[in-house]
Amino acid sequence: GQQVMQIPQYQHVQEGEDFTTYCNSSTTLSNIQWYKQRPGGHPVFLIQLVKSGEVKKQKRLTFQFGEAKKNSSLHITATQTTDVGTYFCAGADSWGKLQFGAGTQVVVTP
Amino acid sequence: NAGVMQNPRHLVRRRGQEARLRCSPMKGHSHVYWYRQLPEEGLKFMVYLQKENIIDESGMPKERFSAEFPKEGPSILRIQQVVRGDSAAYFCASSPRDRGWGYTFGSGTRLTVV
């Protein structure tokens, strides 16, 4: 079955630095979604990518969908303490069923 | 416009008791999904429902777990004869159309089995 892998599992970042988290699927995806979960909170939808090679930006966050629609990345520039949380990617198969990755837990040190 | 409402927020049950978790989707959303999250882990799909229909229950354990989304009222996730391993956060999400749209998650129910 479909598997979605995320790396790294943990990311310690100095405030002001950039980092990237990666998401890889074992199968071709119809779309990929990204969510953020703050500690003790619930997942919050960030964005959906549908087209091959698509790039979308939200302020300091840049999301990319690979050409083969099997991988994606989230790049955050100038990390702030408000970026703390776990970032999940979720790949949708041809039926639209979402498979979540295990998440990248981000810790920001001032 | 209220979001996805889940209750209770916290639920403590003794082993062998039943747990009932409720979820009211966002207004206008007719698709409901249940996910389970263990501490420090990702979200595991359990079941996908529309009004009065279970569309996909491939993630539901075969025994003790059931879900419904009646014509009137919230969606219910029921766990019978709970065991310690059922302790987890259970999140409900809804979307306005079928899968392929971003989900809106509720605040979750943290179930603790003692």
Side-chain angles (χ1 to χ4, degrees), chain A residues 35 37 40 42 48 96-97, chain B residues 37 40 58 99-100 103 106 110:
Chain A
Y35 293 78
Q37 184 176 25
H42 60 278
Q48 177 175 274
K97 182 175 178 178
Chain B
Q37 186 175 41
E40 307 295 320
S58 58
R99 298 183 284 192
Y103 293 178
R110 273 76 176 171

Side-chain angles (χ1 to χ4, degrees), chain A residues 9-10 31 33 35 37 40-45 48 88 92 95-103 105, chain B residues 9 35 37 40-45 56 58-59 91 98-108 110:
Chain A
Q9 188 176 1
Y10 298 100
N31 72 74
Q33 300 175 18
Y35 293 78
Q37 184 176 25
H42 60 278
V44 174
F45 174 76
Q48 177 175 274
F88 293 99
W95 295 96
K97 182 175 178 178
L98 280 186
Q99 179 78 34
F100 279 81
Q105 187 175 335
Chain B
R9 287 293 301 273
Y35 284 81
Q37 186 175 41
E40 307 295 320
E41 291 191 12
L43 295 149
K44 301 298 183 187
F45 169 78
D56 181 350
S58 58
F91 290 99
D98 56 1
R99 298 183 284 192
W101 290 67
Y103 293 178
T104 301
F105 280 84
S107 298
R110 273 76 176 171

